[in-house]
Amino acid sequence: MRVDARLVLAISIAAVSVSVAGCGTVDRTPDPAPPGAGGPVPAIRLDAVEHKLDQLRDWSQASSSKYGIPLRALQAYGYATVVMAKAQPNCHLGWTTLAGIARVESNHARFGGATIAADGSVRPVIRGVALNGTGGNGVIVDPGASASTGHTVYARAMGPFQFIPDTWKRWGVRADADYNALAEALENAKPAASTALSGSPDNIDDAALAAARYLCASGGDLATAHGWRQAILAYNHSGVYVDQVRSAATGYDA
């Protein structure tokens, strides 16, 4: 499992700017094409329907058997894709990209023997190492935990999509909330209006939708080579990571 720091968007953009400014020449090699979207996800109702993800069960069963991805995880990826297609239709996020990230980050919520419950909760919870600067990781302090304990607490990446606490605070959403309640945040890349809508990084539905929001805000049009790469770099500013996610996502489009 990778335990590199998940960098917030502002840090990622700054890192890109510094790296370009520090080089004598700029690499103008075209970015490889983004991975395929894996085919369309069936249209589902998003308006006031209980157990909305159940609408994707038949679609998920076929792909689950084919790719060896837990059915419950595929429902989460498919649902996040449908929601973002409505909220940000110009993003063109494919479920394969979410699956590629989840494969690299937590083996689809199976790291350490974790499993996904019917409600999307992942147990035992998945946590990365303390981001204290050792082992090649960055230094990221968890301000909330530090304030409550009175001493420095280093952040740990959380859940199947490995969110840093501050990043979750900015992008987290509750996937089973009424779409209309989340519409403004989803369409304008704003934080959820209330903590009741912020969800949990340890729920695969919430985490997949939050990752989708983050990717769309970071890359713009993910159907373009540049947009897709920028989105993945924002998630983890590493060329090796981009290649790993691309490889996994491409395999799910086969």
Side-chain angles (χ1 to χ4, degrees):
M1 175 184 181
R2 292 183 59 82
V3 291
D4 295 340
R6 299 296 160 268
L7 304 179
V8 296
L9 182 57
I11 295 175
S12 300
I13 292 174
V16 173
S17 300
V18 169
S19 65
V20 171
C23 297
T25 60
V26 177
D27 182 5
R28 301 187 182 279
T29 304
D31 291 327
V41 179
I44 61 174
R45 289 185 57 196
L46 297 175
D47 57 326
V49 177
E50 292 186 6
H51 309 297
K52 287 179 281 192
L53 278 78
D54 288 348
Q55 298 173 88
L56 293 172
R57 177 171 291 276
D58 291 343
W59 171 81
S60 299
Q61 284 179 330
S63 296
S64 176
S65 300
K66 182 176 181 180
Y67 299 118
I69 300 174
L71 184 147
R72 192 61 187 76
L74 269 169
Q75 286 179 295
Y77 310 154
Y79 178 75
T81 302
V82 172
V83 170
M84 291 310 297
K86 178 177 175 62
Q88 296 187 35
N90 294 327
C91 173
H92 303 121
L93 171 68
W95 70 265
T96 55
T97 292
L98 293 174
I101 290 174
R103 173 65 182 89
V104 174
E105 297 293 354
S106 67
N107 191 20
H108 304 295
R110 293 179 291 200
F111 178 78
T115 58
I116 310 170
D119 67 354
S121 299
V122 177
R123 294 290 184 272
V125 297
I126 300 172
R127 293 291 183 269
V129 298
L131 298 173
N132 57 10
T134 61
N137 291 307
V139 177
I140 301 180
V141 174
D142 184 337
S146 297
S148 64
T149 61
H151 61 81
T152 299
V153 177
Y154 293 101
R156 295 176 182 267
M158 308 180 297
F161 278 81
Q162 290 288 275
F163 276 93
I164 295 300
D166 269 2
T167 311
W168 183 263
K169 184 177 180 180
R170 173 69 179 81
W171 299 100
V173 288
R174 204 186 86 212
D176 66 353
D178 176 70
Y179 177 82
N180 293 324
L182 285 174
E184 183 178 1
L186 291 169
E187 293 170 6
N188 300 302
K190 295 180 179 179
S194 69
T195 54
L197 297 179
S198 63
S200 167
D202 297 312
N203 181 287
I204 197 162
D205 304 330
D206 298 349
L209 183 54
R213 295 184 65 209
Y214 186 78
L215 293 168
C216 288
S218 303
D221 185 354
L222 272 62
T224 67
H226 179 73
W228 190 88
R229 180 176 174 81
Q230 287 302 111
I232 306 304
L233 281 173
Y235 210 87
N236 184 341
H237 193 66
S238 162
V240 172
Y241 182 81
V242 172
D243 291 342
Q244 289 179 324
V245 173
R246 185 191 307 280
S247 177
T250 299
Y252 297 138
D253 188 49

